[in-house]
Amino acid sequence: MSPIYLTTPIYYVNDKPHIGHAYTSLATDVLARWHRLAGREVYFLTGTDEHGQKVEKAAQDAGEAPQAFTDRVSQAFRDLTHTMGFSNDGFIRTTEKRHYEACQALWKRLAERGQIYLGAYEGWYAVRDEAFYGPDELTERDGVKYAPSGAPVEWVREPSYFFRLSAWADKLLEYYEINPDFIAPSSRRNEVISFIKSGLSDLSISRTSFRWGVPVPGDEAHVMYVWLDALTNYITAMGYPDENAALWKFWPADVHFVGKDILRFHAIYWPAFLMAADLPPPKRVFAHGWWTNEGQKISKSLGNVIDPLALVEEFGLDPVRYFLLREVPFGQDGDFARGALVNRLNGELADVLGNLANRTLSLIQRNCEGKLPAPAAPAEADGALLDPLTSLPETVGKLLESQQYHLALEEIFAQVRGANGYITVQAPWALKKTDPVRMAVVLRHLHTALRAYATVLQPFMPGSMAALLDQLGVPPDARSLAALALPLPEGHMLPPPSPLFRKVESVG
């Protein structure tokens, strides 16, 4: 199987991490863990974007030198990966020496191919977005013009190097046509195509008005425009410009996960840079939506920014991971509501999955001396429980491949609910007296089902499902998708069960 390369955007270090950062990385983490579970070789990259006028200003406001400021804030994003249980293989910073070398190598390659020229730029520029906007994209309130993102813009004129983006419009449209899944979800694809067809201008890729950036090779009065710098991180981490590097086999990226606000840069600028440099573009860019908080837009001014670290401390890591991908279709905007999180935790996790595991394992402890019953051929009454298990990994895998996380979880929990119905109807506690042989068969089938559920849920809730697999007596080397076909031996001793999820009594 070919290797898999998955990336988050590199997060801008002008402020501390928030729920949006955790959400993007979580989606990437779940897909990375799934592919590893399926036996694929995976590289999962995240990191921080540390250059640009906005960072330079944030450092000044904090009374720090830019490098000291970025060291401190970048560490907060690295800490987030540990707190949220992300399994990233690499963490890249754009202030690293290897990244300077990669950016300058790419610049030289583009220049040698006639893709860069020196000119002057004037236009409406949003410092917060590090982006220029056309007049037709702006709105005006109280004499101030705003970008679509809500950032104020100012008129800027300065010398600048340009990338010949306009020359790549037809090639980009052709690439989208040949690769219809390159931009997802499909609604975003339509937006990008419409933007290109309205006309592409050449792209300003350098600045002289600030110094915090990668120097332009041969003209250090300029630093590189933040998007040429930032986007290059994805190939820096793979060893570029050394295309014989050990990690270069992972390029092109299989999925770049991004927020919808930076889709244009990843779906237009980035593949154009790569095509112009005769490098393969990524295979897919997925742009997810934004969260609101209890129906309100999230903003620092409203004081309603959601801190993922505080959520984990209050509710536990795996319930937060589960909720974020269960509650809203990935790709759409969603509302974060504490009551909804509590309902998912108490209802689906504690009452549906946790209760099934506790009832099954407690019955094995009491009625089977804690020993796993022997495998048995299923009776007709067992088909509703066991038949769907056969296709569960494939079904979940296909849904995750198309980033339909909520549907993958719904598929799993539909089967878990079915298993709760099965245990109620079969009543193994009553079979202990009337038909102990059948009781053992029922408990073995329930164990088989729980093992399958826990295995496919590992990418979403790695800690809780490791605990469940421990209680099921599944050895660490038998927790892959392929290992599901290998039954545990009869008489295998199971440890006493313990609750998987702590119920929350109120939303607080």
Side-chain angles (χ1 to χ4, degrees):
M1 294 184 287
S2 59
I4 296 288
Y5 183 27
L6 306 171
T7 74
T8 73
I10 48 173
Y11 300 119
Y12 215 39
V13 295
N14 63 318
D15 208 346
K16 66 180 183 179
H18 56 67
I19 196 70
H21 303 121
Y23 186 51
T24 318
S25 292
L26 174 59
T28 315
D29 178 62
V30 168
L31 190 56
R33 287 177 179 272
W34 179 264
H35 282 302
R36 294 190 195 107
L37 205 61
R40 304 288 289 271
E41 187 180 9
V42 175
Y43 198 94
F44 164 19
L45 179 70
T46 189
T48 46
D49 181 5
E50 303 181 22
H51 289 137
Q53 188 175 3
K54 189 163 54 172
V55 171
E56 189 175 70
K57 184 178 186 305
Q60 290 171 352
D61 293 344
E64 297 178 78
Q67 188 64 62
F69 175 83
T70 56
D71 287 346
R72 175 172 58 81
V73 183
S74 179
Q75 185 60 45
F77 285 90
R78 195 183 292 269
D79 292 343
L80 179 71
T81 67
H82 299 304
T83 302
M84 294 295 299
F86 299 146
S87 61
N88 52 295
D89 300 284
F91 188 99
I92 189 167
R93 299 179 58 189
T94 56
T95 50
E96 295 178 48
K97 180 175 181 289
R98 61 171 174 161
H99 185 63
Y100 276 62
E101 292 171 351
C103 288
Q104 292 180 328
L106 181 60
W107 181 288
K108 290 176 183 177
R109 187 161 173 167
L110 291 170
E112 288 166 0
R113 292 168 178 268
Q115 298 298 319
I116 294 175
Y117 64 91
L118 180 62
Y121 194 91
E122 56 182 344
W124 294 105
Y125 182 68
V127 172
R128 195 174 83 191
D129 298 345
E130 300 280 9
F132 283 93
Y133 292 95
D136 58 333
E137 297 181 89
L138 305 179
T139 56
E140 185 171 340
R141 298 190 302 275
D142 301 324
V144 179
K145 294 185 185 296
Y146 294 91
S149 65
V153 297
E154 58 187 29
W155 188 260
V156 171
R157 176 179 172 81
E158 62 178 290
S160 177
Y161 283 94
F162 286 81
F163 169 70
R164 299 186 189 278
L165 181 64
S166 60
W168 292 93
D170 290 342
K171 287 288 186 183
L172 288 168
L173 293 172
E174 180 184 358
Y175 186 69
Y176 305 156
E177 183 70 24
I178 295 170
N179 301 279
D181 295 328
F182 172 65
I183 301 169
S186 58
S187 58
R188 305 289 175 216
R189 181 177 185 271
N190 297 336
E191 290 173 13
V192 170
I193 290 173
S194 177
F195 181 83
I196 292 176
K197 287 184 174 179
S198 69
L200 287 182
S201 301
D202 288 350
L203 182 67
S204 170
I205 55 171
S206 75
R207 295 286 180 275
T208 58
S209 54
F210 60 92
R211 303 306 312 143
W212 186 239
V214 179
V216 168
D219 190 350
E220 295 198 357
H222 291 251
V223 295
M224 290 188 195
Y225 168 66
V226 70
W227 284 105
L228 179 59
D229 166 3
L231 292 163
T232 302
N233 92 87
Y234 302 124
I235 55 175
T236 298
M238 298 298 98
Y240 187 80
D242 180 6
E243 295 178 41
N244 293 313
L247 294 179
W248 190 253
K249 66 182 178 181
F250 286 98
W251 188 258
D254 290 85
V255 187
H256 288 318
F257 286 92
V258 300
K260 65 180 182 179
D261 54 322
I262 55 173
L263 174 61
R264 180 188 306 177
F265 310 111
H266 284 79
I268 299 177
Y269 300 173
W270 182 223
F273 292 155
L274 292 165
M275 290 175 181
D278 196 26
L279 293 169
K283 298 175 186 176
R284 185 172 175 87
V285 178
F286 196 105
H288 65 73
W290 291 337
W291 286 91
T292 54
N293 187 353
E294 305 286 354
Q296 282 191 311
K297 181 179 179 180
I298 294 175
S299 73
K300 285 195 291 184
S301 61
L302 291 174
N304 66 346
V305 174
I306 301 170
D307 180 356
L309 306 184
L311 284 179
V312 168
E313 184 175 351
E314 182 176 1
F315 296 104
L317 174 56
D318 282 351
V320 171
R321 286 175 59 106
Y322 176 82
F323 173 78
L324 290 176
L325 292 179
R326 179 71 174 91
E327 186 70 6
V328 178
F330 194 67
Q332 296 182 18
D333 292 341
D335 184 50
F336 179 89
R338 294 170 63 83
L341 194 162
V342 170
N343 289 339
R344 294 284 187 193
L345 169 55
N346 289 348
E348 292 177 344
L349 297 184
D351 289 344
V352 177
L353 178 58
N355 189 45
L356 176 68
N358 190 63
R359 293 168 81 189
T360 301
L361 294 172
S362 294
L363 285 166
I364 292 174
Q365 286 293 324
R366 288 198 305 270
N367 299 338
C368 305
E369 300 178 334
K371 296 178 182 178
L372 184 63
E380 184 176 347
D382 304 322
L385 174 73
L386 298 178
D387 291 348
L389 295 180
T390 306
S391 59
L392 183 60
E394 181 181 2
T395 301
V396 171
K398 286 181 177 178
L399 291 168
L400 292 183
E401 283 280 2
S402 56
Q403 289 77 63
Q404 296 184 81
Y405 298 95
H406 70 296
L407 293 182
L409 288 169
E410 175 54 34
E411 176 65 30
I412 297 166
F413 272 80
Q415 294 200 26
V416 177
R417 289 191 291 270
N420 275 284
Y422 173 85
I423 194 173
T424 299
V425 170
Q426 296 299 318
W429 50 87
L431 290 171
K432 171 69 174 176
K433 294 180 180 179
T434 61
D435 191 346
V437 173
R438 174 62 183 166
M439 176 206 70
V441 170
V442 168
L443 291 176
R444 178 67 194 221
H445 291 335
L446 284 164
H447 182 281
T448 298
L450 279 166
R451 181 185 177 189
Y453 307 148
T455 298
V456 298
L457 281 169
Q458 286 177 100
F460 294 92
M461 298 181 287
S464 301
M465 293 307 100
L468 178 52
L469 289 165
D470 286 344
Q471 294 180 38
L472 292 166
V474 181
D477 62 355
R479 299 181 180 186
S480 67
L481 297 178
L484 282 174
L486 305 174
L488 296 182
E490 173 187 356
H492 190 78
M493 288 297 298
L494 305 186
S498 58
L500 295 172
F501 301 102
R502 172 181 58 85
K503 293 186 76 169
V504 177
E505 298 304 325
S506 67
V507 297

